[in-house]
Amino acid sequence: MALSDLAYAGIFYHLLLAGLAHVAIRKPSGALPAMVGLALLATSFVTQNAAREVPSPYVHVAIFRHILVDGTDEIEIAYTFKRSLWGQGLASETAAALTSIGLSQLELPSLIGLAFVGNGASRRVLEKSNYVLEKSTTHHGEDVVIYRARR
């Protein structure tokens, strides 16, 4: 984001100098392209910044990630949703899709899903996606359960 803002500033400075140079040599008509460019640049900057501030309406993240659990490097499916979208089946669809991609397309030998012990909804999502409860453990000081799906 900072780099794109710097690029906008550089383009703005260039167009401003070009426009002012034409005005200074008493050829204002030559400044017209620079002024149009400045108007377009300002519009682009405003719309880009507005787009950056609009959060995703659905998924904040849906990924495969390496995670160290009890000294073993595992590949976990992970996803988050806005709270207002909980209970609509999106987590189940996402877990099923990630599992299919990981096991079938990427040919990973297995994937894990990690859930807090008391989070029944997350546990049901993993079970619906054919994950099997493997063990309970502590991860970063929290009591969690590890579910696994195999190819």
Side-chain angles (χ1 to χ4, degrees):
M1 186 169 128
L3 189 56
S4 68
D5 289 345
L6 184 61
Y8 274 110
I11 295 167
F12 175 80
Y13 184 69
H14 170 76
L15 290 171
L16 188 61
L17 286 179
L20 291 175
H22 284 283
V23 170
I25 60 171
R26 293 185 172 77
K27 292 189 178 182
S29 62
L32 186 61
M35 294 303 121
V36 170
L38 279 172
L40 292 173
L41 181 70
T43 302
S44 174
F45 182 74
V46 168
T47 58
Q48 288 296 317
N49 280 335
R52 289 180 190 151
E53 295 172 5
V54 176
S56 167
Y58 303 111
V59 177
H60 287 242
V61 67
I63 60 169
F64 298 104
R65 69 178 186 158
H66 281 276
I67 184 172
L68 196 61
V69 180
D70 294 339
T72 303
D73 186 21
E74 301 280 5
I75 299 176
E76 177 193 26
I77 62 167
Y79 42 86
T80 63
F81 293 91
K82 292 175 71 170
R83 187 176 296 268
S84 63
L85 296 171
W86 290 4
Q88 297 180 26
L90 295 172
S92 295
E93 289 180 31
T94 301
L98 286 172
T99 302
S100 175
I101 291 166
L103 298 180
S104 299
Q105 294 176 19
L106 299 177
E107 297 182 350
L108 298 170
S110 71
L111 294 167
I112 67 163
L114 188 134
F116 293 113
V117 170
N119 189 339
S122 289
R123 295 176 74 162
R124 281 189 297 282
V125 165
L126 292 167
E127 290 165 359
K128 284 194 279 185
S129 295
N130 297 318
Y131 283 72
V132 176
L133 178 62
E134 186 169 281
K135 66 180 178 177
S136 296
T137 189
T138 302
H139 186 69
H140 296 298
E142 300 284 344
D143 292 331
V144 297
V145 287
I146 306 296
Y147 282 80
R148 184 176 304 275
R150 297 183 188 280
R151 226 176 349 133

